[in-house]
Amino acid sequence: MIKLCVFDFDSTLMDGETITILSKALGKDKEVSEITKRAMAGELDFYESLVKRVRLIEGLPLSDAMEVARNLTFIEGAKDIITYLKAKGIKTVVFSGGFHIATDPAQEKLGYDLNFSNELHHKNGILTGHVGGEMMFGDSKGKMLARLKSFLNLKDEEIACVGDGANDVSMFKEAGTGIAFCANEILKKAATHIIDTKDLREIKQIL
């Protein structure tokens, strides 16, 4: 029986990429989107791509970034699947290579139990173009899940993961069930299940 389900955030629970949406205000969204696309396909080192993308939103007012992050659009079925899993007694956690300014308010709206992501550095109310946090590297999700698994004394078969990109591969290796959701080919190869319909309620049929 599944006891823990870990979700990626951007393009999994949230419809799009937070960093790309933030960069629109500065006219950098095409450049950021291209870097993101290559990183999620496994063509670029995740850490290097993250640092490069965050540098492109330097100068954005923090208040503007927070306003955008509080009003992100979720994937169809996001709230429903979290509610369903929690009703089954399954803990729900988000691992995001994105940012707490997005995953924290989303936690209040969707109801997942815990989230790990990164912090956008700011000074005097302005983003500095620097970032730090728990999910900075391509293998961060796998390492964090290994820690959680040990702390909660869970077996691989008691864990499910849902994601879409290359930086989700490491957490799939720590779980018995890996669900590639509208995902890049690199993650589909590591998955036990594949969903190509953009509706998270499809997960119910697997779990």
Side-chain angles (χ1 to χ4, degrees):
M1 177 182 172
I2 301 296
K3 295 183 178 179
L4 172 67
C5 188
V6 181
F7 289 88
D8 170 46
F9 185 72
D10 293 295
S11 297
T12 300
L13 287 176
M14 195 275 285
D15 194 3
E17 297 287 327
T18 303
I19 185 69
T20 302
I21 297 170
L22 290 174
S23 68
K24 283 184 179 180
L26 300 173
K28 302 288 183 66
D29 49 311
K30 289 184 179 179
E31 188 174 355
V32 169
S33 180
E34 181 58 29
I35 297 171
T36 301
K37 182 179 179 181
R38 294 186 63 198
M40 291 302 99
E43 297 173 8
L44 295 176
D45 176 79
F46 182 78
Y47 171 76
E48 292 176 358
S49 74
L50 177 62
V51 170
K52 188 173 183 178
R53 285 175 289 163
V54 171
R55 195 174 294 134
L56 289 170
I57 59 171
E58 178 183 358
L60 184 67
L62 175 63
S63 58
D64 290 357
M66 292 179 69
E67 181 65 19
V68 169
R70 282 194 296 262
N71 292 283
L72 297 170
T73 301
F74 300 116
I75 294 283
E76 186 74 26
K79 174 70 172 176
D80 291 342
I81 193 61
I82 297 295
T83 301
Y84 171 81
L85 294 173
K86 293 184 72 174
K88 295 286 187 182
I90 299 171
K91 296 295 184 184
T92 54
V93 178
V94 164
F95 288 173
S96 175
F99 317 108
H100 275 290
I101 63 167
T103 58
D104 290 351
Q107 182 172 346
E108 295 181 13
K109 294 178 180 179
L110 299 180
Y112 45 83
D113 296 299
L114 192 64
N115 81 87
F116 297 89
S117 54
N118 299 314
E119 297 282 1
L120 289 170
H121 187 259
H122 53 90
K123 188 174 183 179
N124 299 322
I126 303 294
L127 298 188
T128 64
H130 296 287
V131 61
E134 305 129 350
M135 294 286 147
M136 293 282 289
F137 302 96
D139 61 355
S140 293
K141 294 184 180 184
K143 288 182 175 179
M144 185 64 75
L145 183 51
R147 292 174 187 168
L148 274 183
K149 186 165 59 174
S150 176
F151 177 69
L152 298 172
N153 195 28
L154 295 177
K155 300 175 182 177
D156 288 8
E157 56 267 29
E158 295 174 317
I159 302 171
C161 292
V162 186
D164 75 302
N167 64 324
D168 296 316
V169 171
S170 65
M171 70 175 180
F172 274 31
K173 293 178 180 179
E174 298 290 338
T177 301
I179 303 171
F181 181 78
C182 299
N184 285 276
E185 287 301 319
I186 190 170
L187 189 64
K188 287 182 177 180
K189 292 177 182 178
T192 59
H193 299 80
I194 295 172
I195 295 175
D196 286 324
T197 302
K198 203 173 179 181
D199 188 335
L200 286 163
R201 289 169 292 199
E202 295 288 319
I203 293 172
K204 294 180 183 180
Q205 300 178 32
I206 297 171
L207 301 185

